[in-house]
């Protein structure tokens, strides 16, 4: 974290009045941000605030000030994603042994320079000790109800940010808009730390104003927020990329973007082709929290659509004999309570390199479907293709040797969906075509444990919940 903190201090000295953060309520200069961070860090040290400190807040300046102040004071931080359920939050607090919880709610000790208050939590003697050097404890959302704590050092975070800085090079982004919660490590590092390092203003908008505080998300509100922003950089998920592309095609969104990074899953070839036809600067990447977030990225001068780019120089990426992606070189200190991390982390993702070193992800190792003809098919590939069909909001592909490939889809426009799905299906290789599909009457729901709030499918739960109701038995 020293790289980012030093950059903040340098910007405060050399361009004190330049904009560091933009919120609906205020413009915060580098001088003001540095002052607030250093003042709060001094306060935390003077008060002897123990770590780890967990916090839950919206995307705003207070979140940023606390995050940087904790790192400056040497206190381990545990950001709580707003999309975690109450049960998941309680699990994180207990598992991490958080000594304090910071929220916007009144009732605790007001933290100076913020609207946040701190409450001390009861000691948990059963919580595992943090590995030495842990600056941030980030919890993976996963597909189960009990997130795992990933312990990261300041040096590991700095390594990712520094590698991204070099990879982006002279790209002249003028303002970055945060579209994911700052508690998501990707947005925290690439959407906050990287712009701060480069001296680029960061725009923070409340998640409700982005239409992202509800499920399903409010897509028109999301597009309106993008159109109202002056930012020319953003980080997208495959789903939000689809919204952006569709709105641009429809003339609802017209902006001179400079950099649109996409991660968190596989984007459909149709969506990528549409983005290219619109001259949208979309750059796919790949990463995992266990390796300090971003591992590979397409960039200017080294861009191959359909791949996640070449690995960044701060990591080592290899393929196991079965094609599983293995990542080393900037790995976590370890999962909390599970000992040190291995030299190479087995990601569970299947991939392949082309002759020029670009990495293509083929899907999740455990999700691979073997067809009756002996072909291995990644459901993620097909879900990305069908998910790019106009009107299709959610897609899941399942099957086996006996029943073939089938799909479950949710569409807001069911009358048109079947024809569009049939057209997409006909364009797939014969071995990967669906033998049938069902349009769901209701969307997959986080409340039912069918999908994580950041869009990851909980396959076993979906099939257990939906197939009996549809067909009278389980798959």
């Amino acid at each position: 974290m020293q790289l980012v903190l030093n950059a903040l201090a340098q910007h405060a000295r050399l361009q004190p009045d330049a904009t560091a953060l933009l919120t609906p309520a205020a413009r915060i200069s580098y001088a003001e941000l540095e002052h607030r961070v250093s003042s709060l860090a001094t306060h935390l040290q003077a008060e002897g605030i123990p770590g780890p400190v967990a916090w839950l807040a919206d995307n705003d300046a207070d979140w940023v000030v606390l995050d940087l102040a904790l790192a400056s004071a040497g206190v381990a931080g545990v950001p709580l994603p707003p999309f975690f359920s109450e049960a998941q939050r309680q699990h994180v607090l207990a598992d991490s042994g958080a000594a304090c919880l910071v929220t916007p709610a009144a009732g605790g000790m007001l933290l100076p320079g913020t609207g946040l208050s701190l409450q001390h939590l009861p000691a948990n003697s059963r919580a595992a000790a943090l590995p030495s050097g842990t600056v941030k404890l980030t919890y993976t959302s996963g597909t189960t109800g009990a997130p795992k704590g990933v312990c990261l050092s300041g040096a590991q975070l700095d390594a990712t940010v520094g590698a991204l800085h070099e990879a982006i090079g002279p790209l002249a982004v003028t303002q970055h808009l945060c579209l994911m919660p700052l508690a998501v490590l990707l947005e925290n590092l690439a959407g906050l730390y990287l712009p701060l390092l480069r001296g680029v203003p960061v725009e923070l908008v409340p998640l409700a104003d982005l239409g992202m505080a509800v499920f399903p998300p409010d897509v028109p509100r999301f597009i309106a927020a993008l159109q109202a922003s002056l930012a020319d950089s953003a980080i997208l998920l495959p789903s939000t990329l689809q919204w952006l592309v569709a709105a641009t095609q429809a003339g609802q969104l017209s902006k001179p973007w400079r950099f649109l990074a996409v991660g968190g899953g596989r984007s459909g070839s149709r969506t990528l082709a549409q983005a290219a036809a619109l001259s949208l600067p979309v750059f796919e990447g790949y990463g995992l929290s266990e390796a300090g977030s971003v591992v590979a990225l397409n960039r200017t001068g080294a861009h191959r659509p359909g791949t996640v780019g070449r690995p960044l120089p701060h990591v080592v990426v290899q393929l196991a004999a079965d094609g599983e992606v293995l990542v080393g070189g900037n790995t976590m200190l370890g999962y909390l309570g599970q000992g040190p991390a291995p030299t190479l982390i087995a990601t569970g993702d299947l991939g392949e390199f082309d002759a020029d070193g670009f990495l293509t992800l083929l899907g999740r190792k455990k999700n691979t479907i073997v067809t009756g003809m002996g072909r291995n098919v990644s459901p993620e590939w097909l879900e990305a293709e069908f998910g790019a069909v106009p009107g299709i909001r959610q897609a899941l592909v399942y099957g086996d040797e006996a029943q073939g490939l089938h799909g479950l889809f949710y569409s807001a426009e069911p009358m048109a969906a079947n024809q569009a799905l049939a057209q997409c299906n006909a364009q797939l290789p014969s071995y990967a075509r669906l033998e049938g599909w069902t349009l769901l009457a209701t969307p997959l729901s986080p409340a039912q444990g069918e999908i994580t709030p950041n869009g990851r499918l909980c396959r076993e739960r979906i099939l257990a919940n939906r197939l009996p109701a549809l067909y009278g038995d389980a798959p």
Side-chain angles (χ1 to χ4, degrees):
M1 284 295 293
Q2 209 55 49
L3 178 68
V4 178
L5 292 171
N6 288 345
L8 175 59
Q10 183 177 35
H11 292 316
R13 184 174 66 254
L14 299 180
Q15 49 175 351
D17 296 327
T19 301
L21 304 177
L22 276 170
T23 74
R27 180 192 73 85
I28 299 172
S29 69
Y30 281 103
E32 180 182 353
L33 178 59
E34 197 277 335
H35 173 72
R36 289 174 62 178
V37 168
S38 61
S39 296
L40 181 54
T42 299
H43 173 80
L44 294 172
Q45 291 173 324
E47 292 291 327
I49 300 299
V53 171
W55 78 98
L56 176 64
D58 206 342
N59 279 14
D60 56 22
D62 287 347
W63 198 105
V64 177
V65 170
L66 177 61
D67 181 36
L68 296 174
L70 287 171
S72 180
V75 179
V78 187
L80 293 170
F83 50 75
F84 272 12
S85 67
E86 183 58 30
Q88 287 177 319
R89 291 174 191 167
Q90 293 303 320
H91 165 78
V92 169
L93 294 176
D95 184 68
S96 66
C100 306
L101 174 63
V102 177
T103 69
M109 179 180 72
L110 185 65
L111 295 179
T114 77
L116 303 173
S117 62
L118 180 146
Q119 294 181 325
H120 290 273
L121 299 176
N124 180 7
S125 59
R126 293 180 294 178
L130 293 179
S132 177
T134 300
V135 166
K136 184 156 291 181
L137 183 56
T138 185
Y139 277 79
T140 60
S141 58
T143 56
T144 65
K148 292 190 293 185
V150 176
C151 302
L152 297 167
S153 70
Q156 289 163 338
L157 300 178
D158 277 345
T160 299
V161 177
L164 286 172
H165 176 56
E166 293 298 323
I168 292 175
L171 190 65
V173 167
T174 62
Q175 186 170 305
H176 179 81
L177 173 63
C178 292
L179 297 176
M180 291 186 288
L182 289 171
V184 173
L185 190 63
L186 175 59
E187 191 73 78
N188 190 183
L189 269 65
L192 176 61
Y193 295 168
L194 179 60
L196 288 178
L197 175 65
R198 295 171 68 89
V200 173
V202 177
E203 183 179 358
L204 301 172
V205 177
L207 295 174
D209 291 349
L210 289 171
M212 301 298 282
V214 295
F215 188 88
D218 187 336
V219 178
R221 187 168 225 178
F222 179 85
I223 297 302
L226 264 61
Q227 184 61 41
S229 170
L230 296 178
D232 52 10
S233 167
I235 301 171
L236 301 164
L237 299 170
S239 58
T240 53
L241 173 62
Q242 291 172 19
W243 305 343
L244 185 150
V245 168
T248 303
Q249 287 178 319
Q252 300 167 345
L253 182 62
S254 177
K255 290 178 63 64
W257 297 105
R258 290 179 183 267
F259 189 74
L260 294 170
V262 184
R266 182 166 180 163
S267 295
S269 58
R270 179 198 299 254
T271 301
L272 295 173
Q274 292 169 336
L278 293 166
S279 298
L280 294 173
V282 173
F283 297 88
E284 291 179 277
Y286 168 65
L288 57 155
S289 298
E290 292 84 346
S293 194
V294 186
V295 166
L297 181 67
N298 280 286
R299 53 263 203 195
T300 302
H303 187 199
R304 188 154 297 174
T307 77
V308 294
R310 291 178 176 139
L312 297 176
H314 73 303
V315 293
V316 175
V317 179
Q318 301 175 4
L319 298 181
D322 62 356
E324 183 175 7
V325 178
L326 309 175
V327 178
N330 192 48
T331 54
M332 61 182 174
L333 298 173
Y335 289 119
L336 182 62
Q338 296 187 23
T343 303
L344 288 174
I345 293 177
T347 65
D349 295 312
L350 297 174
E352 63 183 14
F353 283 106
D354 65 16
D356 297 316
F358 288 85
L359 176 64
T360 297
L361 297 181
L362 305 176
R364 294 290 292 171
K365 180 178 178 179
K366 68 179 182 180
N367 295 336
T368 299
I369 300 170
V370 181
T371 70
M373 298 301 293
R375 298 298 299 267
N376 293 334
V377 176
S378 162
E380 290 90 351
W381 162 43
L382 299 181
E383 287 156 2
E385 296 302 316
F386 286 111
V389 171
I392 298 299
R393 295 287 182 86
Q394 296 171 330
L396 178 136
V397 172
Y398 66 97
D400 57 27
E401 296 95 328
Q403 65 182 336
L405 299 172
H406 294 264
L408 296 178
F409 303 108
Y410 176 73
S411 172
E413 305 165 5
M415 294 297 292
N418 278 312
Q419 182 177 357
L421 289 169
Q423 291 174 346
C424 180
N425 199 40
Q427 295 171 3
L428 293 169
S430 59
Y431 69 86
R433 291 175 190 162
L434 304 185
E435 296 190 20
W437 59 79
T438 300
L439 293 177
L440 300 173
T442 57
L444 303 175
S445 165
Q448 299 299 318
E450 297 173 326
I451 190 170
T452 65
N454 62 346
R456 188 174 300 174
L457 298 172
C458 303
R459 297 177 185 277
E460 293 182 2
R461 180 64 63 85
I462 293 170
L463 297 179
N465 285 359
R466 300 293 181 136
L467 292 192
L470 293 170
Y471 305 117
D473 55 11

